[in-house]
Amino acid sequence: MVELDDIAKAKAVALILDKKTEQALEYLSKLYGIQTPEITVGTIKRKRRTVYAVYVVQEKKIYASNSEIFYNPFVILHEYYHHIRSKLDTHKGSEKHANMYAKSFIDSYVKIAQAQKD
């Protein structure tokens, strides 16, 4: 899998925070060389009240439970991790790994933002 640098990760987070979530997913997918997943606000049966978002492999789609979640970088990047793993076929990917992936993006964003303040 491609290893992204702090600048690329921070850019993806900034796009999501700027309410450009689709653009962030397109940007990341281009870097990874994979198809961009669809993303929508909505739910799926049996997951309506239990999760903030879900990635459905068969549909290649991320469902965010509401518009606030649609612009939440941690949740979106967590679900995007599941998309990457399904596309690169390395393994399904655990929730722990998806959380670590999303956290690395947030950490990079904070690091870049802090460096710009100093």
Side-chain angles (χ1 to χ4, degrees):
M1 182 161 74
V2 174
E3 188 64 35
L4 303 180
D5 63 20
D6 286 336
I7 294 171
K9 290 177 179 181
K11 180 178 178 179
V13 171
L15 286 167
I16 296 168
L17 290 172
D18 287 342
K19 301 190 183 306
K20 298 176 183 174
T21 302
E22 292 100 336
Q23 190 176 338
L25 297 178
E26 289 169 7
Y27 169 70
L28 289 172
S29 295
K30 185 174 182 178
L31 293 176
Y32 285 110
I34 61 174
Q35 178 184 1
T36 304
E38 289 183 57
I39 185 165
T40 190
V41 173
T43 59
I44 61 171
K45 283 185 177 182
R46 295 179 297 240
K47 300 274 185 179
R48 290 202 168 110
R49 295 179 190 229
T50 60
V51 296
Y52 293 118
V54 65
Y55 175 69
V56 179
V57 175
Q58 299 83 353
E59 297 179 29
K60 301 173 190 76
K61 186 183 258 188
I62 296 169
Y63 288 89
S65 61
N66 61 53
S67 58
E68 286 179 35
I69 297 302
F70 197 85
Y71 305 117
N72 180 316
F74 186 87
V75 175
I76 298 304
L77 292 164
H78 173 105
E79 296 307 328
Y80 185 75
Y81 175 85
H82 293 302
H83 174 69
I84 292 168
R85 297 317 250 176
S86 73
K87 290 294 171 207
L88 299 179
D89 205 30
T90 50
H91 66 73
K92 295 273 190 229
S94 69
E95 294 303 302
K96 176 183 170 184
H97 287 106
N99 285 341
M100 290 184 337
Y101 177 83
K103 184 180 181 314
S104 76
F105 278 75
I106 304 301
D107 290 347
S108 293
Y109 177 81
V110 170
K111 180 180 173 181
I112 297 288
Q114 188 62 43
Q116 290 176 348
K117 287 182 182 179
D118 295 340

